mmCIF file of all heavy atoms in Angstrom:
data_model
loop_
_atom_site.group_PDB
_atom_site.id
_atom_site.type_symbol
_atom_site.label_atom_id
_atom_site.label_comp_id
_atom_site.label_asym_id
_atom_site.label_seq_id
_atom_site.Cartn_x
_atom_site.Cartn_y
_atom_site.Cartn_z
ATOM 1 N N PHE A 365 112.764 97.686 30.434
ATOM 2 C CA PHE A 365 113.289 96.582 31.226
ATOM 3 C C PHE A 365 114.578 96.069 30.576
ATOM 4 O O PHE A 365 114.716 96.062 29.346
ATOM 5 C CB PHE A 365 112.284 95.434 31.287
ATOM 6 C CG PHE A 365 111.121 95.679 32.215
ATOM 7 C CD1 PHE A 365 109.893 96.092 31.719
ATOM 8 C CD2 PHE A 365 111.243 95.481 33.584
ATOM 9 C CE1 PHE A 365 108.815 96.300 32.558
ATOM 10 C CE2 PHE A 365 110.182 95.694 34.436
ATOM 11 C CZ PHE A 365 108.956 96.108 33.926
ATOM 12 N N ALA A 366 115.504 95.626 31.395
ATOM 13 C CA ALA A 366 116.763 95.093 30.869
ATOM 14 C C ALA A 366 116.513 93.884 29.986
ATOM 15 O O ALA A 366 117.151 93.696 28.944
ATOM 16 C CB ALA A 366 117.701 94.730 32.013
ATOM 17 N N THR A 367 115.576 93.043 30.379
ATOM 18 C CA THR A 367 115.113 91.905 29.592
ATOM 19 C C THR A 367 113.597 91.890 29.674
ATOM 20 O O THR A 367 113.017 92.502 30.581
ATOM 21 C CB THR A 367 115.677 90.576 30.132
ATOM 22 O OG1 THR A 367 115.273 90.411 31.499
ATOM 23 C CG2 THR A 367 117.201 90.551 30.045
ATOM 24 N N PRO A 368 112.909 91.215 28.752
ATOM 25 C CA PRO A 368 111.445 91.200 28.813
ATOM 26 C C PRO A 368 110.971 90.756 30.198
ATOM 27 O O PRO A 368 111.488 89.789 30.761
ATOM 28 C CB PRO A 368 111.058 90.193 27.730
ATOM 29 C CG PRO A 368 112.183 90.271 26.746
ATOM 30 C CD PRO A 368 113.417 90.481 27.575
ATOM 31 N N PRO A 369 110.008 91.451 30.757
ATOM 32 C CA PRO A 369 109.591 91.165 32.132
ATOM 33 C C PRO A 369 108.761 89.897 32.253
ATOM 34 O O PRO A 369 108.241 89.364 31.266
ATOM 35 C CB PRO A 369 108.747 92.393 32.487
ATOM 36 C CG PRO A 369 108.148 92.806 31.182
ATOM 37 C CD PRO A 369 109.230 92.568 30.167
ATOM 38 N N THR A 370 108.620 89.451 33.482
ATOM 39 C CA THR A 370 107.670 88.401 33.818
ATOM 40 C C THR A 370 106.382 89.062 34.295
ATOM 41 O O THR A 370 106.411 89.899 35.197
ATOM 42 C CB THR A 370 108.223 87.492 34.930
ATOM 43 O OG1 THR A 370 109.378 86.802 34.432
ATOM 44 C CG2 THR A 370 107.177 86.470 35.361
ATOM 45 N N VAL A 371 105.269 88.711 33.663
ATOM 46 C CA VAL A 371 103.973 89.259 34.051
ATOM 47 C C VAL A 371 103.292 88.273 34.991
ATOM 48 O O VAL A 371 103.262 87.061 34.738
ATOM 49 C CB VAL A 371 103.090 89.512 32.818
ATOM 50 C CG1 VAL A 371 101.712 90.011 33.237
ATOM 51 C CG2 VAL A 371 103.747 90.524 31.905
ATOM 52 N N ARG A 372 102.740 88.812 36.075
ATOM 53 C CA ARG A 372 102.033 87.964 37.042
ATOM 54 C C ARG A 372 100.626 88.517 37.245
ATOM 55 O O ARG A 372 100.435 89.707 37.506
ATOM 56 C CB ARG A 372 102.803 87.917 38.358
ATOM 57 C CG ARG A 372 104.190 87.288 38.217
ATOM 58 C CD ARG A 372 104.985 87.390 39.505
ATOM 59 N NE ARG A 372 104.345 86.658 40.592
ATOM 60 C CZ ARG A 372 104.751 86.713 41.861
ATOM 61 N NH1 ARG A 372 105.773 87.496 42.190
ATOM 62 N NH2 ARG A 372 104.129 86.034 42.793
ATOM 63 N N LEU A 373 99.637 87.648 37.092
ATOM 64 C CA LEU A 373 98.242 88.028 37.266
ATOM 65 C C LEU A 373 97.863 87.885 38.732
ATOM 66 O O LEU A 373 98.294 86.942 39.406
ATOM 67 C CB LEU A 373 97.345 87.146 36.398
ATOM 68 C CG LEU A 373 97.739 87.047 34.917
ATOM 69 C CD1 LEU A 373 96.742 86.169 34.167
ATOM 70 C CD2 LEU A 373 97.861 88.415 34.279
ATOM 71 N N ALA A 374 97.057 88.799 39.221
ATOM 72 C CA ALA A 374 96.707 88.809 40.642
ATOM 73 C C ALA A 374 95.892 87.577 41.020
ATOM 74 O O ALA A 374 95.006 87.131 40.271
ATOM 75 C CB ALA A 374 95.925 90.070 40.982
ATOM 76 N N THR A 375 96.181 87.038 42.163
ATOM 77 C CA THR A 375 95.396 85.927 42.707
ATOM 78 C C THR A 375 93.930 86.347 42.827
ATOM 79 O O THR A 375 93.630 87.466 43.252
ATOM 80 C CB THR A 375 95.925 85.541 44.092
ATOM 81 O OG1 THR A 375 97.293 85.116 43.964
ATOM 82 C CG2 THR A 375 95.105 84.418 44.706
ATOM 83 N N GLY A 376 93.043 85.459 42.410
ATOM 84 C CA GLY A 376 91.618 85.743 42.533
ATOM 85 C C GLY A 376 90.961 86.251 41.266
ATOM 86 O O GLY A 376 89.743 86.490 41.260
ATOM 87 N N MET A 377 91.732 86.440 40.191
ATOM 88 C CA MET A 377 91.122 86.833 38.924
ATOM 89 C C MET A 377 90.096 85.806 38.499
ATOM 90 O O MET A 377 90.325 84.588 38.616
ATOM 91 C CB MET A 377 92.182 86.947 37.823
ATOM 92 C CG MET A 377 92.837 88.286 37.691
ATOM 93 S SD MET A 377 93.748 88.362 36.119
ATOM 94 C CE MET A 377 94.456 89.995 36.231
ATOM 95 N N ASP A 378 88.955 86.263 37.947
ATOM 96 C CA ASP A 378 88.007 85.303 37.411
ATOM 97 C C ASP A 378 88.482 84.857 36.022
ATOM 98 O O ASP A 378 89.452 85.380 35.471
ATOM 99 C CB ASP A 378 86.580 85.859 37.386
ATOM 100 C CG ASP A 378 86.389 87.040 36.452
ATOM 101 O OD1 ASP A 378 87.126 87.155 35.446
ATOM 102 O OD2 ASP A 378 85.475 87.855 36.720
ATOM 103 N N GLU A 379 87.778 83.864 35.462
ATOM 104 C CA GLU A 379 88.248 83.259 34.217
ATOM 105 C C GLU A 379 88.272 84.267 33.061
ATOM 106 O O GLU A 379 89.178 84.251 32.232
ATOM 107 C CB GLU A 379 87.386 82.059 33.843
ATOM 108 C CG GLU A 379 87.922 81.244 32.669
ATOM 109 C CD GLU A 379 89.332 80.731 32.889
ATOM 110 O OE1 GLU A 379 89.642 80.280 34.014
ATOM 111 O OE2 GLU A 379 90.140 80.794 31.946
ATOM 112 N N ARG A 380 87.290 85.148 33.006
ATOM 113 C CA ARG A 380 87.268 86.144 31.932
ATOM 114 C C ARG A 380 88.452 87.093 32.054
ATOM 115 O O ARG A 380 89.153 87.354 31.068
ATOM 116 C CB ARG A 380 85.962 86.930 31.964
ATOM 117 C CG ARG A 380 85.882 88.028 30.892
ATOM 118 C CD ARG A 380 84.565 88.763 30.960
ATOM 119 N NE ARG A 380 84.424 89.730 29.884
ATOM 120 C CZ ARG A 380 84.431 91.055 30.028
ATOM 121 N NH1 ARG A 380 84.589 91.582 31.245
ATOM 122 N NH2 ARG A 380 84.274 91.859 28.994
ATOM 123 N N GLU A 381 88.702 87.630 33.232
ATOM 124 C CA GLU A 381 89.818 88.548 33.426
ATOM 125 C C GLU A 381 91.144 87.884 33.070
ATOM 126 O O GLU A 381 92.013 88.479 32.430
ATOM 127 C CB GLU A 381 89.845 89.040 34.871
ATOM 128 C CG GLU A 381 88.649 89.891 35.258
ATOM 129 C CD GLU A 381 88.526 90.098 36.753
ATOM 130 O OE1 GLU A 381 89.279 89.443 37.518
ATOM 131 O OE2 GLU A 381 87.668 90.901 37.164
ATOM 132 N N ARG A 382 91.288 86.633 33.496
ATOM 133 C CA ARG A 382 92.528 85.898 33.230
ATOM 134 C C ARG A 382 92.713 85.666 31.732
ATOM 135 O O ARG A 382 93.793 85.913 31.176
ATOM 136 C CB ARG A 382 92.509 84.569 33.989
ATOM 137 C CG ARG A 382 93.767 83.721 33.825
ATOM 138 C CD ARG A 382 93.690 82.497 34.726
ATOM 139 N NE ARG A 382 93.649 82.912 36.126
ATOM 140 C CZ ARG A 382 94.727 83.167 36.863
ATOM 141 N NH1 ARG A 382 95.935 83.030 36.326
ATOM 142 N NH2 ARG A 382 94.621 83.526 38.111
ATOM 143 N N THR A 383 91.658 85.220 31.057
ATOM 144 C CA THR A 383 91.759 84.929 29.631
ATOM 145 C C THR A 383 92.067 86.180 28.825
ATOM 146 O O THR A 383 92.925 86.164 27.934
ATOM 147 C CB THR A 383 90.458 84.300 29.126
ATOM 148 O OG1 THR A 383 90.217 83.073 29.833
ATOM 149 C CG2 THR A 383 90.534 83.996 27.643
ATOM 150 N N LEU A 384 91.377 87.286 29.125
ATOM 151 C CA LEU A 384 91.606 88.509 28.378
ATOM 152 C C LEU A 384 93.004 89.051 28.626
ATOM 153 O O LEU A 384 93.646 89.591 27.713
ATOM 154 C CB LEU A 384 90.555 89.556 28.743
ATOM 155 C CG LEU A 384 89.092 89.167 28.466
ATOM 156 C CD1 LEU A 384 88.156 90.325 28.779
ATOM 157 C CD2 LEU A 384 88.903 88.712 27.031
ATOM 158 N N SER A 385 93.514 88.899 29.839
ATOM 159 C CA SER A 385 94.881 89.337 30.141
ATOM 160 C C SER A 385 95.900 88.516 29.359
ATOM 161 O O SER A 385 96.866 89.052 28.801
ATOM 162 C CB SER A 385 95.149 89.235 31.642
ATOM 163 O OG SER A 385 94.292 90.068 32.387
ATOM 164 N N ILE A 386 95.690 87.205 29.314
ATOM 165 C CA ILE A 386 96.621 86.331 28.601
ATOM 166 C C ILE A 386 96.600 86.625 27.105
ATOM 167 O O ILE A 386 97.644 86.631 26.437
ATOM 168 C CB ILE A 386 96.297 84.854 28.891
ATOM 169 C CG1 ILE A 386 96.628 84.534 30.358
ATOM 170 C CG2 ILE A 386 97.059 83.925 27.957
ATOM 171 C CD1 ILE A 386 96.196 83.155 30.799
ATOM 172 N N TYR A 387 95.415 86.904 26.545
ATOM 173 C CA TYR A 387 95.344 87.215 25.119
ATOM 174 C C TYR A 387 96.015 88.559 24.825
ATOM 175 O O TYR A 387 96.693 88.713 23.804
ATOM 176 C CB TYR A 387 93.899 87.229 24.641
ATOM 177 C CG TYR A 387 93.794 87.290 23.123
ATOM 178 C CD1 TYR A 387 94.233 86.229 22.336
ATOM 179 C CD2 TYR A 387 93.281 88.410 22.485
ATOM 180 C CE1 TYR A 387 94.159 86.284 20.956
ATOM 181 C CE2 TYR A 387 93.196 88.470 21.098
ATOM 182 C CZ TYR A 387 93.634 87.399 20.339
ATOM 183 O OH TYR A 387 93.563 87.468 18.962
ATOM 184 N N ALA A 388 95.848 89.539 25.706
ATOM 185 C CA ALA A 388 96.528 90.825 25.521
ATOM 186 C C ALA A 388 98.039 90.639 25.505
ATOM 187 O O ALA A 388 98.752 91.228 24.675
ATOM 188 C CB ALA A 388 96.115 91.802 26.620
ATOM 189 N N ILE A 389 98.551 89.828 26.415
ATOM 190 C CA ILE A 389 99.988 89.526 26.439
ATOM 191 C C ILE A 389 100.401 88.850 25.145
ATOM 192 O O ILE A 389 101.448 89.159 24.557
ATOM 193 C CB ILE A 389 100.332 88.655 27.658
ATOM 194 C CG1 ILE A 389 100.097 89.431 28.957
ATOM 195 C CG2 ILE A 389 101.769 88.154 27.581
ATOM 196 C CD1 ILE A 389 100.102 88.562 30.195
ATOM 197 N N ALA A 390 99.564 87.926 24.652
ATOM 198 C CA ALA A 390 99.877 87.206 23.413
ATOM 199 C C ALA A 390 99.968 88.166 22.225
ATOM 200 O O ALA A 390 100.847 88.021 21.370
ATOM 201 C CB ALA A 390 98.817 86.138 23.148
ATOM 202 N N LEU A 391 99.074 89.152 22.160
ATOM 203 C CA LEU A 391 99.126 90.109 21.057
ATOM 204 C C LEU A 391 100.432 90.888 21.059
ATOM 205 O O LEU A 391 101.032 91.138 20.000
ATOM 206 C CB LEU A 391 97.940 91.073 21.147
ATOM 207 C CG LEU A 391 96.557 90.510 20.823
ATOM 208 C CD1 LEU A 391 95.500 91.585 20.965
ATOM 209 C CD2 LEU A 391 96.512 89.916 19.422
ATOM 210 N N ILE A 392 100.886 91.282 22.234
ATOM 211 C CA ILE A 392 102.165 92.002 22.325
ATOM 212 C C ILE A 392 103.311 91.080 21.952
ATOM 213 O O ILE A 392 104.227 91.465 21.212
ATOM 214 C CB ILE A 392 102.343 92.582 23.733
ATOM 215 C CG1 ILE A 392 101.304 93.678 23.971
ATOM 216 C CG2 ILE A 392 103.754 93.117 23.934
ATOM 217 C CD1 ILE A 392 101.224 94.175 25.394
ATOM 218 N N ASN A 393 103.277 89.847 22.419
ATOM 219 C CA ASN A 393 104.352 88.904 22.106
ATOM 220 C C ASN A 393 104.444 88.600 20.619
ATOM 221 O O ASN A 393 105.534 88.304 20.106
ATOM 222 C CB ASN A 393 104.169 87.617 22.902
ATOM 223 C CG ASN A 393 104.696 87.732 24.319
ATOM 224 O OD1 ASN A 393 105.526 88.600 24.616
ATOM 225 N ND2 ASN A 393 104.231 86.869 25.204
ATOM 226 N N ARG A 394 103.330 88.666 19.901
ATOM 227 C CA ARG A 394 103.376 88.408 18.463
ATOM 228 C C ARG A 394 104.243 89.425 17.725
ATOM 229 O O ARG A 394 104.695 89.163 16.613
ATOM 230 C CB ARG A 394 101.957 88.406 17.877
ATOM 231 C CG ARG A 394 101.132 87.197 18.313
ATOM 232 C CD ARG A 394 99.698 87.258 17.804
ATOM 233 N NE ARG A 394 98.901 86.178 18.381
ATOM 234 C CZ ARG A 394 97.615 85.961 18.124
ATOM 235 N NH1 ARG A 394 96.962 86.777 17.305
ATOM 236 N NH2 ARG A 394 96.973 84.949 18.696
#
Side-chain angles (χ1 to χ4, degrees):
F365 284 100
T367 59
T370 295
V371 177
R372 297 174 63 188
L373 309 181
T375 299
M377 271 193 182
D378 65 28
E379 188 57 41
R380 178 179 185 249
E381 295 167 351
R382 182 175 297 274
T383 300
L384 300 184
S385 298
I386 291 173
Y387 191 66
I389 294 167
L391 289 180
I392 293 170
N393 278 339
R394 290 176 187 180

